Amino acid sequence: MNFLRALLIALCCFATSCSSQAETSFEKIVTRVDKYFSGQPCLLTSAEITKDGQQVYAYYALKIIGYNLSYDVKNTYSTASPYSGSINLSCNVVDNTRSGDLSLDISALKVTSEIAPVEPSGFSTTSMALANKDFSSHPKSVTFIVRYSYEGGKWAHIGMVAGGMEESVILDLETFPQNKSFREAVGMEN
């Protein structure tokens, strides 16, 4: 009986030490993400628009002007991945789409009747989008949820969702070379 108690206590201590190690290493990721977002970074993204009857991409920058960060670590009770973690970022962002050189095609009737004035929808190049610092004065709310799994004694990025944005923003964050510092901050490139 004493042997079983000692074994049970040892297992509990081992599980607790693994849990605290996982949580401590996850807090390092959270600190890195917090530091990145506190610098009010600009993220490059795009939207597909119709210009002169053809589908083209309009590029624009999103500037993080404020955010709230929370995170969670859960025990999954799985041997392959004993813990899962997530970072939730509720952000206020401004964009520079209205300073761009591209505009959506709008019917001539709407323009002549002044129902819908022609407004820029972004930039024709990524460099123009990132160079322009004329951001909107009306922030939008965006939410990023970044998910992780603890495997082999380390955390691995397993995915991300963004609410309040075009669907293309996730792909743009994952692929545009200009968003590399974002990927490094959230651990996509580890």
Side-chain angles (χ1 to χ4, degrees):
M1 188 75 155
N2 286 337
F3 175 74
L4 288 176
R5 277 191 191 166
L7 182 61
L8 183 58
I9 290 171
L11 286 174
C12 287
C13 289
F14 177 72
T16 302
S17 73
C18 289
S19 172
S20 63
Q21 179 183 5
E23 288 176 7
T24 300
S25 63
F26 192 71
E27 287 171 357
K28 289 179 183 177
I29 296 170
V30 172
T31 300
R32 188 176 64 223
V33 171
D34 187 40
K35 182 178 178 183
Y36 175 76
F37 275 81
S38 69
Q40 296 187 329
C42 287
L43 307 172
L44 181 66
T45 191
S46 64
E48 195 171 15
I49 65 168
T50 303
K51 178 71 177 162
D52 298 327
Q54 295 185 9
Q55 295 298 110
V56 298
Y57 283 96
Y59 301 99
Y60 60 98
L62 294 173
K63 182 175 183 175
I64 308 294
I65 59 169
Y67 69 99
N68 289 316
L69 182 148
S70 63
Y71 68 96
D72 191 23
V73 176
K74 293 182 180 175
N75 189 331
T76 63
Y77 302 103
S78 166
T79 55
S81 176
Y83 301 99
S84 66
S86 64
I87 298 175
N88 300 317
L89 293 149
S90 299
C91 304
N92 289 322
V93 301
V94 289
D95 65 53
N96 60 2
T97 56
R98 296 190 190 266
S99 301
D101 63 327
L102 291 178
S103 300
L104 290 168
D105 284 347
I106 299 176
S107 72
L109 176 62
K110 286 184 180 179
V111 172
T112 57
S113 66
E114 297 182 15
I115 294 173
V118 176
E119 292 184 9
S121 300
F123 297 87
S124 54
T125 68
T126 58
S127 58
M128 288 172 64
L130 286 173
N132 186 288
K133 303 300 180 203
D134 186 16
F135 291 97
S136 164
S137 58
H138 303 291
K140 299 176 191 174
S141 294
V142 177
T143 301
F144 295 102
I145 301 172
V146 189
R147 294 191 175 99
Y148 302 86
S149 178
Y150 192 70
E151 302 168 5
K154 65 179 188 174
W155 288 99
H157 173 269
I158 57 171
M160 180 175 63
V161 293
M165 294 300 306
E166 299 274 335
E167 289 181 27
S168 63
V169 74
I170 298 289
L171 182 61
D172 295 343
L173 289 171
E174 291 173 344
T175 59
F176 284 179
Q178 297 89 339
N179 292 326
K180 183 177 181 179
S181 58
F182 172 85
R183 291 191 297 276
E184 289 171 342
V186 301
M188 282 185 187
E189 302 219 337
N190 293 339

